[in-house]
Amino acid sequence: MSKSQYRLRSAERSDVENILFMIKQLAEYEKEPHSVEITERDLERDGFETQPPLFHVVLAEVLEQNGWKCVGFALWFYVYSTWQGKALHLEDLFVLPQYRNRGIGKALLRRCAQVALSEKCKRYQWNVLTWNTPSIDFYEAVGAKAMKEWMLMRMDKYSMERFIESSTDSVSKQ
Amino acid sequence: MSKSQYRLRSAERSDVENILFMIKQLAEYEKEPHSVEITERDLERDGFETQPPLFHVVLAEVLEQNGWKCVGFALWFYVYSTWQGKALHLEDLFVLPQYRNRGIGKALLRRCAQVALSEKCKRYQWNVLTWNTPSIDFYEAVGAKAMKEWMLMRMDKYSMERFIESSTDSVSKQ
């Protein structure tokens, strides 16, 4: 089998098992294997039943003896820039370790750029772990810019509840 | 007039002029006054005609002699965490300088947390400029966590086009 025998295709509802498997593999790579709370049912509902879907997935498949095998994925959704309008946010990009270094990740990254352009997005963005220098180098080499002046802030459910409860004044004063 | 006379309300289509004015004020604060390419028409279409809208806005208004005056806003949309599901991303939070220090920003921030909880989001997030330490301190004080291990990467339209054109191999090999 040639190393170049791979293809990209849009995911379907029946792919959620593979998608969740790869989400978990990616979480392991990110050193947070126990943070994945999402279920196959959540992915079915949010990605394939909700209209419009809350996310989109492209799968990378490799031809093996018993057929096409899912070896990587890109998951994205649309966000909004108040300076430029609709933008594409790539939430996950992952290729199984044993299938790397044959251009599959780059092809997934490029496919999303094509979607962004076809949807008239003026921005294409994603987050990267600051310790993941090989990925940062790769992203910069293909033309992405590290937005070092921005930092992500986050509240989890507990923090949101505490924040709301801690209020001593009414939310809306009239 | 009491300093506490303000109210929050969901924005309507007729508010786009005020929203764009505040987006431009915020861009000025962020030292990028010329980066705002969006128009009132874009905001009307993307926020009030598209279903579901690409973003949502809550306005803060203060009662003045000639009626309620728009003095701040929060603009958000939904994103997706592959670990936890639907999440709320606060894109812009802004209060006109002369109306600060009376709890309006905090009320807007809290209102979005309430929306996130009512929409069953397990995450509430936003980006902050790394040099904006007063804001970072304020966000941490109300329970948000700085995600210092993540960095935003971005491609603009030109970079996407270059990336796609530079490809020497076909996007999908079969």
Side-chain angles (χ1 to χ4, degrees):
Chain A
M1 194 197 78
S2 155
K3 268 205 165 187
S4 64
Q5 281 191 293
Y6 68 85
R7 68 176 184 187
L8 305 186
R9 70 169 173 85
S10 295
E12 295 169 13
R13 180 200 287 247
S14 57
D15 295 311
V16 294
E17 188 181 343
N18 278 327
I19 296 169
L20 186 56
F21 171 76
M22 290 187 296
I23 286 170
K24 288 179 176 171
Q25 293 284 305
L26 176 53
E28 203 154 308
Y29 174 77
E30 290 171 344
K31 302 174 184 170
E32 296 226 34
H34 304 296
S35 296
V36 182
E37 296 173 14
I38 213 156
T39 66
E40 285 185 27
R41 181 66 201 120
D42 294 330
L43 293 171
E44 274 184 355
R45 183 192 60 234
D46 297 338
F48 302 94
E49 294 171 14
T50 304
Q51 280 306 327
L54 301 188
F55 62 84
H56 306 265
V57 178
V58 168
L59 297 178
E61 295 179 318
V62 163
L63 189 56
E64 304 223 313
Q65 281 181 334
N66 47 357
W68 290 99
K69 183 192 171 187
C70 184
V71 302
F73 80 119
L75 185 147
W76 82 91
F77 44 78
Y78 297 104
V79 292
Y80 202 80
S81 155
T82 48
W83 293 357
Q84 300 194 304
K86 192 176 174 184
L88 191 145
H89 181 88
L90 178 66
E91 178 70 10
D92 282 354
L93 177 70
F94 185 71
V95 176
L96 293 176
Q98 61 273 39
Y99 295 93
R100 290 181 191 162
N101 300 314
R102 55 174 90 175
I104 298 175
K106 195 169 179 175
L108 286 166
L109 191 68
R110 191 186 294 118
R111 173 63 63 94
C112 291
Q114 290 172 317
V115 171
L117 286 176
S118 71
E119 291 288 327
K120 308 216 182 305
C121 295
K122 289 187 179 167
R123 274 188 193 170
Y124 174 27
Q125 65 175 41
W126 57 93
N127 288 307
V128 64
L129 283 158
T130 47
W131 50 256
N132 191 357
T133 44
S135 290
I136 295 169
D137 292 346
F138 166 65
Y139 293 145
E140 289 187 326
V142 297
K145 191 182 163 202
M147 307 299 287
K148 290 178 186 166
E149 71 277 32
W150 288 102
M151 181 168 64
L152 184 64
M153 303 293 300
R154 187 187 288 164
M155 279 194 195
D156 59 16
K157 191 160 170 277
Y158 173 76
S159 303
M160 285 189 262
E161 286 165 349
R162 289 265 306 204
F163 174 37
I164 290 167
E165 284 161 13
S166 71
S167 168
T168 50
D169 46 43
S170 68
V171 170
S172 179
K173 291 180 180 176
Q174 242 175 284
Chain B
M1 192 197 80
S2 156
K3 267 205 164 187
S4 64
Q5 281 191 295
Y6 68 86
R7 69 177 184 189
L8 306 186
R9 69 168 174 87
S10 295
E12 295 168 13
R13 180 201 287 246
S14 57
D15 294 311
V16 294
E17 187 182 343
N18 277 326
I19 296 169
L20 186 56
F21 171 75
M22 291 188 296
I23 286 170
K24 288 180 176 170
Q25 293 284 304
L26 176 54
E28 203 154 308
Y29 175 76
E30 290 170 344
K31 301 173 186 171
E32 296 226 34
H34 304 297
S35 296
V36 182
E37 295 173 14
I38 215 157
T39 65
E40 286 184 27
R41 181 65 202 122
D42 294 330
L43 293 172
E44 275 185 352
R45 184 192 59 234
D46 298 338
F48 302 92
E49 294 170 15
T50 304
Q51 279 307 325
L54 301 188
F55 63 83
H56 306 266
V57 177
V58 168
L59 297 179
E61 294 180 318
V62 163
L63 188 56
E64 305 223 312
Q65 281 182 332
N66 46 358
W68 291 99
K69 183 192 172 187
C70 183
V71 303
F73 80 119
L75 185 148
W76 81 91
F77 44 78
Y78 297 104
V79 293
Y80 202 80
S81 155
T82 48
W83 293 357
Q84 301 195 302
K86 191 177 174 184
L88 191 145
H89 181 89
L90 178 66
E91 178 71 8
D92 283 354
L93 177 71
F94 184 71
V95 176
L96 293 177
Q98 61 273 38
Y99 295 92
R100 290 181 192 161
N101 300 315
R102 56 174 91 175
I104 298 175
K106 196 169 180 176
L108 287 165
L109 191 67
R110 192 186 294 120
R111 173 63 62 93
C112 292
Q114 290 172 318
V115 172
L117 286 176
S118 70
E119 291 289 325
K120 308 217 181 304
C121 295
K122 290 186 179 169
R123 274 189 194 169
Y124 174 28
Q125 66 175 40
W126 58 92
N127 288 308
V128 64
L129 283 159
T130 48
W131 51 256
N132 191 356
T133 46
S135 290
I136 295 169
D137 293 345
F138 166 65
Y139 293 145
E140 289 187 327
V142 297
K145 191 182 163 203
M147 308 298 290
K148 291 178 184 165
E149 70 277 35
W150 288 102
M151 181 167 65
L152 185 64
M153 303 292 301
R154 187 186 291 163
M155 279 195 196
D156 59 16
K157 191 161 172 275
Y158 173 75
S159 302
M160 287 190 261
E161 286 165 349
R162 289 265 306 204
F163 175 36
I164 290 166
E165 284 162 12
S166 70
S167 166
T168 50
D169 46 43
S170 68
V171 171
S172 178
K173 291 179 180 177
Q174 244 177 280

